[in-house]
Amino acid sequence: MEISNFNLQPDFLENEISKLIPLEEKHFDALFEAACDPLIWEQNPAKDRYTKEGFKTFFDIIITKNPFLILDKQTNEIMGTSSFYDYNPERSSVGIGYTFITRKYWGGPYNKQTKN
């Protein structure tokens, strides 16, 4: 059995418009500030994620999923979060999800660029 050294959470990822850094507990308050818009969660089954209590539940889940803080490369403004999880070396696949992006960055290339 070959042991993979595939890293689901490298220290830094970037492209032309965004950069991803590992999400840490210390980012909770700043990330919650970005996530406290009810419209972000309007289509989500857990519609209370804009509240501190609802977001804490979400944060406690994502912190176990190799999460990244998504930052605007030009301004360092928090754009949201995303995770790589459920790596399957036999199928050469990885899940990408637990993602949200602030409304300022909706409708552009940000979600796709973050996941490429």
Side-chain angles (χ1 to χ4, degrees):
M1 177 178 188
E2 182 180 325
I3 297 176
S4 173
N5 63 353
F6 184 74
N7 183 0
L8 287 172
Q9 196 178 36
D11 292 337
F12 190 81
L13 296 169
E14 70 176 314
N15 59 31
E16 302 80 34
I17 61 174
S18 62
K19 58 185 174 181
L20 283 68
I21 61 171
L23 180 68
E24 298 177 28
E25 293 280 348
K26 69 181 182 183
H27 296 129
F28 177 83
D29 288 331
L31 188 59
F32 171 67
E33 187 175 321
C36 69
D37 178 348
L39 290 178
I40 293 173
W41 307 104
E42 188 175 58
Q43 301 296 315
N44 192 288
K47 295 182 185 342
D48 71 339
R49 288 185 177 163
Y50 71 93
T51 68
K52 197 156 204 170
E53 182 178 304
F55 188 73
K56 177 71 168 120
T57 299
F58 174 69
F59 190 87
D60 289 346
I61 293 168
I62 65 170
I63 203 70
T64 68
K65 302 288 184 187
N66 306 297
F68 292 94
L69 191 62
I70 307 167
L71 302 170
D72 182 307
K73 188 172 178 178
Q74 300 301 315
T75 66
N76 276 332
E77 181 178 346
I78 293 175
M79 296 169 55
T81 186
S82 194
S83 296
F84 298 152
Y85 60 96
D86 290 344
Y87 174 57
N88 183 327
E90 290 80 31
R91 294 180 43 205
S92 190
S93 68
V94 64
I96 302 173
Y98 298 94
T99 303
F100 85 85
I101 295 177
T102 61
R103 283 197 296 151
K104 177 180 179 179
Y105 296 97
W106 286 4
Y110 303 100
N111 189 41
K112 182 178 180 184
Q113 288 292 321
T114 297
K115 295 178 179 181
N116 279 339

